[in-house]
Amino acid sequence: MASSEFGEDGDSRGGMWVLEQRIDQPMDEEAEKLKNMYREKKFSTLLLLRLAYQSLGVVYGDLGTSPLYVFYNTFPHGIDNQEDVIGALSLIIYSLTLVPLVKYVLIVLRANDNGQGGTLALYSLLCRHANIRTIPNQHRTDEELTTYSRSTIREKSFAAKTKRWLEEQPYIKDIILILALVGTCMVIGDGILTPAISVLSAVGGIKVNHADLSNEVVVLVAVVMLVGLFSMQHYGTDRVGWLFAPIVLLWFLLIGGIGIFNICKYDSSVLKAFSPLYIYRYLKRGGRDGWTSLGGILLSITGTEALFADLAHFPVSSVQIAFTLLVFPCLLLAYSGQAAYLMHNLNHSNDAFYRSIPDKIYWPVFVVATAAAIVASQATISATFSIIKQANAHGCFPRIKVVHTSKKFLGQIYIPDINWILMILCIAVTAGFKNQSQIGNAYGTAVVLVMLVTTLLMILIMILVWRCHWILVVVFTGLSLIVECTYFSAVLFKVDQGGWAPLAIAGAFLLIMYVWHYGTVKRYEFEMHSKVSMAWILGLGPSLGLVRVPGIGLVYTELASGVPHIFSHFITNLPAIHSVVVFVCVKYLPVYTVPEEERFLVKRIGPKNFHMFRCVARYGYKDLHKKDEDFEKKLFHNLFVFVKLESMMEGCSDSDDYSLYEQQTEISREGLLLNNNAITSSTNMDPTVSSLDSIVSVTSPSHLNATVRSSGHVSNQTEVDEVEFLNSCRDAGVVHILGNTVVRASRDSRFYKKIAVDYIYAFLRKICRENSVIFNVPHESLLNVGQVFYV
C-alpha cells in the first residue's frame, strides 16, 4: 500500500484537476440557446408546431405504414362475418388508445434521457440514480458533469429502500442489464423486419391492378428496393432528410382522407366499434382463432417502440402534439375506412388497403405508400445504428467502425458492418418467408417483447427517478402488463409460423452482446486486482530504475485510477521508459453526451520529478471518438494547462500541507478559482477519497495567463521549465503503448464457460476493430504489450 502521504496514484496533494473551459469562455450561441430551451422547457407555439412537423419523418414513419398490412395479418384466411370486422376495428381502436397514446405518448416519453429514448437510454437513467453498472469505473467527479442530471432521493423513502436493494444484490444488476440487452436485440430485429414487411406490403399493391403478376415478381422487386435502400445508407439522411416530413405528412393526410371517403361511401355503422362491447363479442365468438388473430391486431401498434427510440432531439411536447393532432386521428380514420370497405367486401381482406383506394388516385397513393415505406424503413435502420452505438458505449458490443454522415448533426451515423448484416438478414426474411403473414408474425413477436421490457424498466424509473406513489406504479404496471401479456400469449401460438425468426435473431445478438460484456467486465476486474502499488512505483525513484529516454509515452488503460499492470509488465521486460509517461483512460459514462469543455481530466501521479500523469477522456453514449488528430492535440493542450494551473495554485496558497479534494470540489460548484475556506488537513482525509478525481474549473488560456500575471505568488520559472520540458519531450516523439490482454477460461471451468470465453469471445476479439484503429494511432508509433490471464 502507498504511504498515507500519497493518494492511490501517488499524488502528494491527493486530488485531480478537471480541465473545464466553461467559465469566462462563451459557448456557441446556437448550442447555448438549445441548451437553455431544454432546461427551461419553454417553446413558442410556432416553434413547437414546426418541430412537431419535422418529427413526422423521423418518429412516425413506422407507425404510419401499419395500415398497409394489419387487416391482412388479422384475417389471413378471409372474413366470415361482418361482426368480426367491427370487433377487429374495436380492438385496433383501443390498442392505439392504450399503448401508443396513453402509455407511450403521455407517460413513457417523459422518461427520456435528455431527449434520448430507447431501452438503453432508460438503463443509463437508472445507472445514474442507482449504482447498478456492472463495470465499476464510476468516480465522484463524473457526477459533477452538467449532463449528469439526477434527482435527490430522501434517505427513508421507498425509492431509497429500492435503491439499496438493487445495489446490494449483484444478480439484480445482471437481470436489469439482460433486460436492457433483450430490448436492444428486439430493436435490432425491428431494423430487419420493418424494411421487409413495409417494402413488401407497399410493392404488393402492384398485384391489385395486375393480378397476373406472380408473388415471386413482387418479392424480387421488394428485394431490389431493399438492396438499393441499404446501399444508400453510407450517404446518410442529411441530404434527403428534408423530404421525409412532407412525405409522411402527405401519407397521413391521404390515408385519413381515404378513410373518411370510405366511411361515407360504404358503411358509417363501423363507428359503433368505439364501444368496447364488440371486443368481448369478437373474442367470445372467435374462440381460439379470435385469440390468435390478436397477433395481427398487434401490428397496428408496431412502430410504437420506435416512436420512443427515435425521439432524438425533439422535445416531448412536439412529439405529443404531432401524435394527438394528426397521427392518431388519421390512423383511426384509415382503419375505420378499411373496415367500412370490408363490410361489403369480406373476401378482400388480403389487400384491403389498396382495394379501398378510389381508382382515380390509385397510382399517386401507391407512389406515396412506397415512399412512406422507405421512410419508415430508413428511420428504423438509423435507430438500429444508434442503439448499437449505445450498446458499444456500455461495453456490450464489440468495437466497430462508426462513420459520421452529417457535419451538422452528430447523431446521424452509419455503421458499415451492421448495415450489410441487416441487409443480408432482411433479404433472407423477405425471400424466405415470401408472404406478409409470416413476416407479420415475426414482427409482432419482436414488438411485444420490446414493450414488455420497457414496462419492466419503467417500474424502476417511476420509483427511483420520478418517485411516484406505489399505487400509481401498480396501476401503470397492471394495465400495461394486462394488454402486453394478452398480445404476447397470442403471438406464442404463431412461433412456428414465423414468430421464431426474431427470437433466433435476438438470441444470436444477445449471446454476442452478453459474452462481450462478460469478457469486458473480467478484463476490467483483472486490471483492478492486479494494478501496481504506488509504494512500489515510489520505491523505484524518479528514474523508475530505468533509463528515461526523450519522448512521451501514452499508456492506454481501462483504469481511471491506479497504475495498470501493463506498466509493470512493460518496465520489467524493457530497460527503458520515456521521460514523460501519461496513462490514458477512455471511458464512457451513463450520460447521453459529455460537453467538449468537460471531457478531459488530468492528474499528476507521484512527485513532480517522476513526470507521470493521468488523463481520463470521458464520453457519453451518443458521443463519437473521432478518427482524427484532435484527440491527441486536446490531450496535450489540457496537460499543459494543468501544469500552468498547478503552478499558479501552488503560488496562490499559503499552505503546503492540505487536501485539494475539498477545495477543488468547492471551486467547481462555486465557479471560483480559489477558496481557502475549503482547505483541510490531508491527514484527516478519507484515503478512499484521496484517489478520486476532483474538479476544478479552468478558464480559457488567455484568462488563465492574465490571472497568473496578476498573482505575485506564482513561480513562473517552475511553470515555464516544466512546460518547455513537456514540449521538448513531445518534439522528441510520442509512443502509444496499448495493452493486448488475452482472456482465457481456467482449466477447471465448465464447458459452456470455455466455449463462451475461449471461442466466442476470442473470435469477437479477433474480428472487432483494434483500439489502435479507433484511437487513430500511427503504426510507426504503436507498441503493443501482450499479457494473458485466466478467468
Side-chain angles (χ1 to χ4, degrees):
M1 293 297 291
S3 169
S4 60
E5 180 185 357
F6 292 91
E8 185 179 339
D9 285 344
D11 180 10
S12 58
R13 293 162 183 83
M16 177 174 273
W17 309 82
V18 174
L19 299 184
E20 298 181 63
Q21 295 175 314
R22 62 176 183 259
I23 299 178
D24 298 332
Q25 181 174 348
M27 292 178 62
D28 177 74
E29 291 183 7
E30 192 66 28
E32 183 66 32
K33 180 181 177 182
L34 187 63
K35 189 175 180 181
N36 288 335
M37 281 197 307
Y38 274 99
R39 187 186 294 118
E40 297 173 11
K41 302 291 183 183
K42 293 179 181 178
F43 297 89
S44 66
T45 303
L46 188 62
L47 178 60
L48 272 178
L49 291 175
R50 190 182 75 180
L51 291 171
Y53 163 72
Q54 292 174 350
S55 70
L56 291 173
V58 177
V59 177
Y60 292 112
D62 192 3
L63 188 63
T65 52
S66 297
L68 287 169
Y69 44 77
V70 169
F71 277 108
Y72 169 63
N73 284 275
T74 304
F75 302 110
H77 306 298
I79 306 172
D80 299 325
N81 193 320
Q82 286 186 339
E83 288 295 311
D84 290 343
V85 177
I86 303 293
L89 177 60
S90 186
L91 278 166
I92 292 171
I93 290 171
Y94 283 97
S95 296
L96 284 170
T97 303
L98 291 175
V99 181
L101 179 60
V102 176
K103 179 185 174 183
Y104 278 85
V105 173
L106 298 182
I107 300 175
V108 174
L109 288 188
R110 292 180 55 239
N112 66 89
D113 183 15
N114 287 281
Q116 309 302 319
T119 52
L120 282 177
L122 292 178
Y123 180 70
S124 297
L125 200 57
L126 288 173
C127 287
R128 294 208 300 274
H129 288 79
N131 185 20
I132 59 172
R133 290 197 77 190
T134 50
I135 301 179
N137 62 350
Q138 304 95 327
H139 274 185
R140 192 174 301 178
T141 49
D142 299 336
E143 300 175 11
E144 300 284 341
L145 288 171
T146 54
T147 52
Y148 201 97
S149 58
R150 64 175 182 177
S151 54
T152 305
I153 299 176
R154 295 197 309 273
E155 186 63 30
K156 296 183 179 180
S157 63
F158 181 65
K161 295 177 182 177
T162 305
K163 178 176 180 291
R164 284 193 296 271
W165 177 70
L166 291 175
E167 294 175 345
E168 291 169 358
Q169 307 293 333
Y171 72 93
I172 295 293
K173 297 180 181 181
D174 289 332
I175 291 174
I176 295 173
L177 175 66
I178 291 173
L179 269 178
L181 293 184
V182 168
T184 301
C185 293
M186 289 302 168
V187 171
I188 295 172
D190 265 3
I192 297 166
L193 297 169
T194 297
I197 193 168
S198 298
V199 173
L200 186 60
S201 300
V203 174
I206 300 175
K207 290 184 66 176
V208 174
N209 278 0
H210 296 80
D212 55 327
L213 282 177
S214 66
N215 193 55
E216 285 72 18
V217 174
V218 175
V219 171
L220 180 62
V221 173
V223 168
V224 170
M225 290 184 65
L226 289 171
V227 171
L229 175 64
F230 283 99
S231 300
M232 298 294 288
Q233 289 301 312
H234 67 281
Y235 292 110
T237 58
D238 197 25
R239 297 179 182 177
V240 295
W242 60 274
L243 278 173
F244 289 178
I247 288 173
V248 177
L249 175 62
L250 180 60
W251 168 251
F252 278 117
L253 294 177
L254 279 174
I255 63 174
I258 293 170
I260 294 173
F261 172 80
N262 287 330
I263 291 170
C264 297
K265 179 179 178 181
Y266 292 103
D267 196 342
S268 61
S269 66
V270 293
L271 297 179
K272 62 187 179 182
F274 281 87
S275 169
L277 178 64
Y278 289 93
I279 296 176
Y280 170 75
R281 292 179 179 177
Y282 174 78
L283 295 176
K284 182 180 179 181
R285 182 173 57 255
R288 176 172 173 171
D289 291 339
W291 191 264
T292 55
S293 70
L294 291 175
I297 303 292
L298 173 64
L299 298 183
S300 63
I301 54 176
T302 55
T304 302
E305 188 61 36
L307 179 155
F308 182 44
D310 292 333
L311 187 59
H313 291 96
F314 294 107
V316 172
S317 51
S318 67
V319 177
Q320 292 172 331
I321 288 172
F323 186 83
T324 53
L325 295 185
L326 179 70
V327 178
F328 186 60
C330 288
L331 286 176
L332 292 183
L333 289 171
Y335 288 117
S336 298
Q338 288 187 46
Y341 174 82
L342 288 174
M343 291 287 282
H344 295 274
N345 300 274
L346 296 179
N347 57 336
H348 288 173
S349 62
N350 286 1
D351 41 29
F353 175 78
Y354 281 112
R355 288 188 179 275
S356 65
I357 299 172
D359 294 337
K360 292 182 179 180
I361 61 170
Y362 179 83
W363 289 111
V365 173
F366 173 79
V367 171
V368 175
T370 306
I374 292 173
V375 171
S377 303
Q378 177 60 57
T380 310
I381 294 168
S382 298
T384 304
F385 291 156
S386 178
I387 203 163
I388 286 177
K389 170 65 181 66
Q390 291 182 35
N392 178 257
H394 282 284
C396 299
F397 205 86
R399 294 183 297 271
I400 44 179
K401 182 180 181 181
V402 179
V403 181
H404 281 284
T405 59
S406 172
K407 294 181 179 179
K408 299 178 182 177
F409 308 103
L410 281 179
Q412 293 185 6
I413 59 174
Y414 165 65
I415 304 178
D417 300 334
I418 298 299
N419 181 67
W420 303 123
I421 292 173
L422 291 179
M423 186 187 77
I424 293 170
L425 292 175
C426 188
I427 291 172
V429 167
T430 306
F433 287 146
K434 294 184 181 180
N435 66 70
Q436 298 174 33
S437 180
Q438 288 183 317
I439 299 176
N441 294 338
Y443 197 14
T445 305
V447 169
V448 74
L449 284 174
V450 178
M451 290 180 178
L452 282 169
V453 168
T454 300
T455 298
L456 296 176
L457 292 178
M458 278 298 298
I459 297 173
L460 295 177
I461 293 290
M462 294 179 76
I463 295 172
L464 296 177
V465 183
W466 294 348
R467 300 189 302 281
C468 296
H469 195 279
W470 66 269
I471 294 179
L472 293 177
V473 178
V474 169
V475 170
F476 171 82
T477 307
L479 290 176
S480 298
L481 290 181
I482 287 172
V483 174
E484 290 156 13
C485 289
T486 299
Y487 281 124
F488 183 64
S489 66
V491 298
L492 285 178
F493 288 105
K494 299 188 176 183
V495 169
D496 61 335
Q497 302 171 33
W500 57 269
L503 298 178
I505 293 169
F509 274 99
L510 182 61
L511 179 65
I512 291 170
M513 294 168 81
Y514 191 77
V515 168
W516 181 264
H517 182 75
Y518 177 80
T520 302
V521 170
K522 290 301 178 183
R523 279 195 301 116
Y524 185 84
E525 289 177 351
F526 168 75
E527 292 219 22
M528 280 291 293
H529 294 150
S530 60
K531 62 184 178 182
V532 180
S533 165
M534 274 310 304
W536 183 74
I537 294 290
L538 294 174
L540 297 176
S543 68
L544 299 178
L546 306 166
V547 177
R548 299 296 291 266
V549 298
I552 297 179
L554 300 181
V555 182
Y556 290 84
T557 173
E558 295 184 11
L559 293 180
S561 64
V563 177
H565 181 263
I566 179 181
F567 183 70
S568 64
H569 187 64
F570 177 79
I571 64 177
T572 301
N573 290 276
L574 290 176
I577 192 65
H578 300 87
S579 300
V580 177
V581 177
V582 182
F583 296 101
V584 181
C585 171
V586 177
K587 73 172 183 176
Y588 285 86
L589 304 178
V591 295
Y592 74 104
T593 185
V594 175
E596 193 71 35
E597 64 273 14
E598 300 178 59
R599 178 147 294 155
F600 288 92
L601 303 169
V602 178
K603 179 179 183 178
R604 185 184 296 278
I605 298 179
K608 276 191 175 183
N609 56 356
F610 276 56
H611 300 300
M612 296 172 66
F613 302 89
R614 173 180 309 289
C615 179
V616 179
R618 304 176 296 180
Y619 291 84
Y621 56 80
K622 294 289 284 187
D623 292 329
L624 288 174
H625 188 87
K626 295 183 181 179
K627 186 181 178 181
D628 52 31
E629 298 178 356
D630 285 348
F631 178 78
E632 187 176 311
K633 289 179 180 177
K634 290 174 181 176
L635 188 153
F636 285 122
H637 167 75
N638 283 280
L639 179 61
F640 293 154
V641 174
F642 165 77
V643 171
K644 293 180 182 180
L645 181 62
E646 186 184 43
S647 298
M648 180 188 71
M649 295 292 286
E650 283 179 349
C652 291
S653 175
D654 296 328
S655 173
D656 293 327
D657 184 22
Y658 64 94
S659 161
L660 288 180
Y661 179 79
E662 294 294 335
Q663 178 185 357
Q664 292 165 348
T665 305
E666 188 67 26
I667 287 171
S668 172
R669 289 171 183 166
E670 301 297 331
L672 302 173
L673 243 121
L674 184 63
N675 187 345
N676 287 320
N677 294 329
I679 298 175
T680 58
S681 171
S682 62
T683 58
N684 295 328
M685 185 167 62
D686 186 343
T688 61
V689 173
S690 67
S691 66
L692 291 173
D693 307 337
S694 309
I695 290 185
V696 65
S697 298
V698 179
T699 62
S700 60
S702 60
H703 183 83
L704 175 63
N705 292 335
T707 307
V708 172
R709 287 195 300 269
S710 66
S711 173
H713 302 284
V714 179
S715 177
N716 290 318
Q717 187 62 42
T718 304
E719 170 197 326
V720 171
D721 287 348
E722 187 161 19
V723 170
E724 286 182 354
F725 176 73
L726 290 173
N727 271 316
S728 64
C729 290
R730 185 181 181 185
D731 294 337
V734 178
V735 175
H736 301 259
I737 304 170
L738 275 74
N740 185 17
T741 305
V742 178
V743 184
R744 298 290 185 192
S746 56
R747 291 184 178 181
D748 57 346
S749 299
R750 294 182 181 272
F751 76 95
Y752 56 81
K753 185 176 180 179
K754 290 182 178 180
I755 293 174
V757 175
D758 292 345
Y759 295 96
I760 300 176
Y761 183 73
F763 174 73
L764 293 174
R765 286 269 294 178
K766 186 176 181 179
I767 65 173
C768 76
R769 289 171 69 82
E770 295 290 340
N771 273 325
S772 58
V773 177
I774 293 178
F775 296 141
N776 195 30
V777 176
H779 185 70
E780 61 275 10
S781 302
L782 174 64
L783 181 62
N784 271 312
V785 180
Q787 53 185 347
V788 180
F789 79 95
Y790 294 88
V791 296

